[in-house]
Amino acid sequence: MTRRNAQLRWRDIISIIVSLAIGISAFSLAGPRLMTELTGVEGNFRAEQCRWQKDYDGVRQRACVGSFTAADGSFTIRRIAAEDLFATDPTGPVASRVSGPSADEAVRPGLMSLAPLLGIGLIGFAFPLWALIAGTLDLLARRRAARPRPEEPHERPSDLPTAPGTARTNSGVRWIHSVPIAISIAAGIFMCHAAAPRLITQLTGVDGTFLAGRCAWGDFDSDGDRTMTCAGDFTASDGSFTLPGIKIDGVFDHRPDAPVAARVSGPSTDHAVQMDLVGSLAPMGLGLTAFAFPAWALTAAARDAADRRRRRRTTPPPTAGGNPDSWGPLPST
């Protein structure tokens, strides 16, 4: 009896969890900006202070802070940061949107900047969606096949003679696993890329203190709590330099009144880093964990290829396959 069998194994469950985590993370990053661009308050942003900052590609651009005025004149935000970076300092008003009068970032219209994050989110949900459909079809097939039927005799690959020492269970790596493998590699690179500079600064940076000058409350989390992000002045411990108006990584439960111990990578940096190794080691661990499945798949695929070469030299080619219409990532045999 042949049927379409999803046959989801533990490795597929791990892939589903990783894919869902990547999809949810991508949409959680893109969601607030997307909602602001679609439903936010229109207005104009005027830059008042700009500084150099590197984007994700390492290109130096201008990050600006200024004021925002609603198009209908209902409110004005005196101190607000522009979420986007500029090639040069904007000399006039820039059309932007904000989520409301208490927003701390102004967003320029344009959905193309969100395309990469939205694409990663959709790819992240692709494999779990396929697994859900495959599992549903498998359950329906099991219900239809409740009554046993006589099975047609045919030769199975497991019945073929094999040379001593060459028979082993196939790892089951198939082309469908390329989606979670690509997602895992992208997630690992992204997490390590985000955490490695922070960790290097914490281990080898210049010691000093950060004095908060401007703080803004963030949105409520799932527990109903709010945290704030701050910008201020950093002073090196030896007094060799001072960095005014830079941001500090991390969030605070309340506005810090006293100087906070921090480190920077050097006199030309645009942000300070709190001395919290756990906050850097956690994403590094997640990044290394994301590389685990691709590493296993590469090793298993290489072993399967070597095993097939040995089998071709020692056994005749099979005359019949397993279940050619399997829905799942693994063969039903």
Side-chain angles (χ1 to χ4, degrees):
M1 178 178 65
T2 60
R3 66 179 179 86
R4 298 179 177 184
N5 190 343
Q7 290 200 29
L8 296 177
R9 306 291 176 83
W10 64 267
R11 49 183 168 266
D12 302 302
I13 302 300
I14 295 177
S15 303
I16 291 173
I17 295 174
V18 172
S19 300
L20 286 175
I22 299 304
I24 294 173
S25 299
F27 278 115
S28 64
L29 291 175
R33 173 166 181 156
L34 180 62
M35 291 300 297
T36 300
E37 292 188 354
L38 295 178
T39 64
V41 181
E42 295 182 355
N44 293 316
F45 170 83
R46 289 185 177 272
E48 299 174 358
Q49 181 182 0
C50 298
R51 66 174 184 276
W52 289 108
Q53 179 176 324
K54 292 184 179 180
D55 59 13
Y56 290 109
D57 298 326
V59 179
R60 295 186 66 196
Q61 294 188 339
R62 303 291 282 175
C64 297
V65 177
S67 61
F68 175 87
T69 303
D72 57 4
S74 57
F75 63 89
T76 298
I77 303 177
R78 300 297 179 185
R79 191 72 173 175
I80 188 172
E83 184 175 1
D84 301 278
L85 300 178
F86 302 89
T88 59
D89 293 359
T91 56
V94 179
S96 304
R97 288 192 174 190
V98 297
S99 58
S102 61
D104 57 358
E105 287 185 331
V107 177
R108 283 191 292 176
L111 297 178
M112 289 304 298
S113 59
L114 296 178
L117 278 176
L118 294 176
I120 293 175
L122 293 176
I123 294 175
F125 286 119
F127 183 72
L129 180 61
W130 169 84
L132 177 62
I133 296 174
T136 303
L137 293 174
D138 182 33
L139 292 176
L140 294 176
R142 290 187 180 187
R143 295 188 63 179
R144 289 195 300 265
R147 291 185 177 181
R149 293 177 296 176
E151 183 176 355
E152 296 181 1
H154 62 276
E155 187 179 16
R156 300 169 62 88
S158 58
D159 299 330
L160 297 175
T162 58
T166 61
R168 69 176 183 87
T169 302
N170 190 286
S171 65
V173 179
R174 297 293 184 267
W175 65 268
I176 193 65
H177 289 97
S178 60
V179 174
I181 288 173
I183 293 175
S184 299
I185 293 176
I189 294 175
F190 176 78
M191 292 179 183
C192 291
H193 173 73
R198 177 186 173 100
L199 182 61
I200 292 174
T201 301
Q202 289 175 338
L203 296 177
T204 64
V206 180
D207 285 315
T209 55
F210 173 85
L211 181 61
R214 180 179 59 88
C215 297
W217 286 106
D219 296 330
F220 289 97
D221 58 18
S222 58
D223 298 329
D225 299 327
R226 300 179 72 184
T227 55
M228 58 172 43
T229 56
C230 296
D233 301 334
F234 174 87
T235 304
S237 299
D238 56 4
S240 57
F241 62 89
T242 299
L243 300 175
I246 66 171
K247 294 183 178 180
I248 185 169
D249 286 354
V251 295
F252 300 91
D253 295 330
H254 55 82
R255 178 188 177 92
D257 297 326
V260 178
R263 285 189 176 185
V264 296
S265 58
S268 60
T269 188
D270 57 1
H271 66 278
V273 175
Q274 298 183 63
M275 295 306 297
D276 179 19
L277 291 178
V278 177
S280 299
L281 293 177
M284 286 288 292
L286 291 175
L288 296 177
T289 302
F291 286 127
F293 180 73
W296 168 84
L298 178 62
T299 304
R303 292 179 58 189
D304 287 344
D307 186 70
R308 284 194 295 269
R309 292 187 62 182
R310 289 195 300 267
R311 286 176 179 271
R312 282 197 295 267
R313 289 196 296 263
T314 57
T315 61
T319 58
N323 187 0
D325 60 344
S326 173
W327 285 97
L330 305 179
S332 58
T333 58

